[in-house]
Amino acid sequence: MNLSNLTDIYSRELFDRVIPFWEKHSVDRVNGGFFNCLDADGALYDTKKYMWLNGRQTWMFSKLYNSVEQRPEWLEIARLGATFLRSKARRDDNRVYFSMTQEGKPLQLQRKIFSECFYIMALAEYSRASGDASAMQEAKNMLELVWEWSSDLSKVGRPSYEGETPAQSLAIPMILLNLIEEVAGENKDEYRSEVDECIRRMLLHVHPADKTVYELVTPDGGFIDSIEGRLLNPGHAIEAGWFLQHWAQHLKRDDLSRTAIDMVRWSYERGWDKEKGGIYYFLDSKGYSPTPLEWDMKLWWPHCEALYAHLLNYSITGDEYDKNAFLQVHEYAFSHFSDPEHGEWFGYLNRNGEVTHRFKGGPYKGCFHVPRALWLVWNKLKEIK
Amino acid sequence: MNLSNLTDIYSRELFDRVIPFWEKHSVDRVNGGFFNCLDADGALYDTKKYMWLNGRQTWMFSKLYNSVEQRPEWLEIARLGATFLRSKARRDDNRVYFSMTQEGKPLQLQRKIFSECFYIMALAEYSRASGDASAMQEAKNMLELVWEWSSDLSKVGRPSYEGETPAQSLAIPMILLNLIEEVAGENKDEYRSEVDECIRRMLLHVHPADKTVYELVTPDGGFIDSIEGRLLNPGHAIEAGWFLQHWAQHLKRDDLSRTAIDMVRWSYERGWDKEKGGIYYFLDSKGYSPTPLEWDMKLWWPHCEALYAHLLNYSITGDEYDKNAFLQVHEYAFSHFSDPEHGEWFGYLNRNGEVTHRFKGGPYKGCFHVPRALWLVWNKLKEIK
């Protein structure tokens, strides 16, 4: 297959099928913010609002406005998201709620930093779209706080217990590295020492001898032989790979670029279901049954991450291996997740590739992974061509 | 099929295949307590100990000792469980940990009351087995505390937020009702007002007009039209049915007995997968896709609950409907979950009935639902015969 033929396919999928779904069904023009629980056809099945997803959608519409076309309706949607977040979702102590009622009354707060991370991402990109400098300042101040919290989660209320094995999670340095990319924009050197620290911590999870990227390791990178230490999340490791690759390119570090390529390839090779196709959600590094009940399901977002990660690798290596991996995921994703009838993608398939959940939006699926991947791939395809 | 032929099948399954698996593989004779993470053949894949499961296994071996045969090895296993629980799992403030290291160092505490509930259940039955009256006193004191906590979960650290819909969960009155049955033993009238209150609260979840048992309702029993309010757990509602039936029999209340029968029948009719067989884990009462990723899986424990609940109904009604429902679950369970090779049952199947997780014990599966159901059914079959 010729990659150049795909540019139009990605453009149509993004602008004709995915973005219109969210424009039409998710926007709450009364209270601001976005509804997230949208059935196959966009019908609302729960009025709760999830702040991870409200932040991510605000980011996405700001990004489209900034990088594709300055459509006033995109800026207005971003504004509705940013205003809801800033006026409702952030508490006096700077914690951001996980979920809220449609009017913006609090429902749940997590003992994690991710609501804050997506809040920061939203405000940084929205500031560029709207020209509202106070949003960027707020994003930078929050990033400083989250940086502090991230190395001591007791600051967001997470208890610790005597028997725990000291451990660090890949999710933390990885999301901070991506956040810095988003907040810094063109001024990438502003956060140089923080970037170095994120990269140092991410590399502790990469074990070349096992060709494995572990989600949880000891603070010096050691393997933890437990349910949690052996748990692999191939889609997450693939995402970490392209986050790292962006910095490897900026820093012009070939060693890091090589590692980022390996992270994607190893995780894909292990995560791809050779019998049924698609990328497993979880695996156990020693081959035990992973304990999450959904381990063998095929979720939309690991496939979104893999699409862009493989194509990014191909744009660097020119290696047919990466191109073929991209095409393999492309075939699977477009034939299984895409919904030509109502737009957006289905999110959840069983191991055999059958849709198990008909909704397009839910507590953890919003306007983010699909349009971000389509936009990144579309841009990269144009570049390669 | 003649029910009397089944008595031996249940006896063999329980005493030759299930109990020996746990006797052989789970007991930690060094530290006391029980390992829970046991692979298909009993091999240990994680050394953590889960206190829900340690409490339940202590209860099970005490119950076998008290009701089947006074085997010294069963009492010794119960003693190892009870001693670990009492010396390691309970904190000074009477909270019980969720998980611990094999030596009994704390790993996790939940903002829920279930660890405490299974601790109480264990100690009450162990007291009868061992003659240790202090264990019964401790169980009764803890029950009083848990009763108090259960009506205000902020006492176990659960935060509440302004936007929340006031709601009550079926799990709470249901487990308290079962706990009282276990703690009271022959002295059932000791807790008469608490029993009445549990029954009152359970009945708020039973909506005859919809033939539905809701997991979450408003404090006056109203339907909540949200993801959480519509979520049905047929196996859980079936279990609630037989918990209630035990009290209906004791209180000689025909109205309650009728309701308990309905709870089981309605939940079974809705929960049984007419196309592929087996009982769904979750459903949405209005037919939306349930948001838990594992909703269409077939788990061992709803089938365990259904086995006993249907047979109990049949012993009361004499109705072929209940007998056939029992036999339908029996056929499915023994042909899908049972493992003649290594003993115990597999726990997790996909919708098609294929084993997705090969382990016999995990963080939420221990020596409890399978042996409890086999023991209850075996006793009931002997009674019917």
Side-chain angles (χ1 to χ4, degrees), chain A residues 46 48 106 163 227-228 289 358, chain B residues 46 48 106 163 227-228 358:
Chain A
D46 192 302
K48 281 192 284 298
I227 289 173
E228 296 77 14
S289 292
R358 71 184 198 204
Chain B
D46 192 302
K48 281 193 285 296
I227 289 173
E228 297 76 14
R358 70 184 197 203

Side-chain angles (χ1 to χ4, degrees), chain A residues 39 45-46 48 101 106-107 109 111 161 163 226-228 230 287-290 292-293 295 297 348 356-358, chain B residues 39 45-46 48 106-107 109 111 161 163 226-228 230 287-290 292-293 295 297 348 356-358:
Chain A
D39 212 352
Y45 65 89
D46 192 302
K48 281 192 284 298
T101 65
L107 282 170
L109 186 80
R111 299 183 288 187
Y161 299 102
S226 71
I227 289 173
E228 296 77 14
R230 292 191 307 263
Y288 294 104
S289 292
L293 301 197
W295 76 269
M297 291 179 70
Y348 305 92
T356 54
H357 295 66
R358 71 184 198 204
Chain B
D39 212 354
Y45 66 89
D46 192 302
K48 281 193 285 296
L107 283 171
L109 186 79
R111 299 183 288 188
Y161 299 101
S226 71
I227 289 173
E228 297 76 14
R230 291 192 307 263
Y288 293 105
S289 293
L293 300 197
W295 77 270
M297 291 180 70
Y348 305 92
T356 54
H357 295 67
R358 70 184 197 203

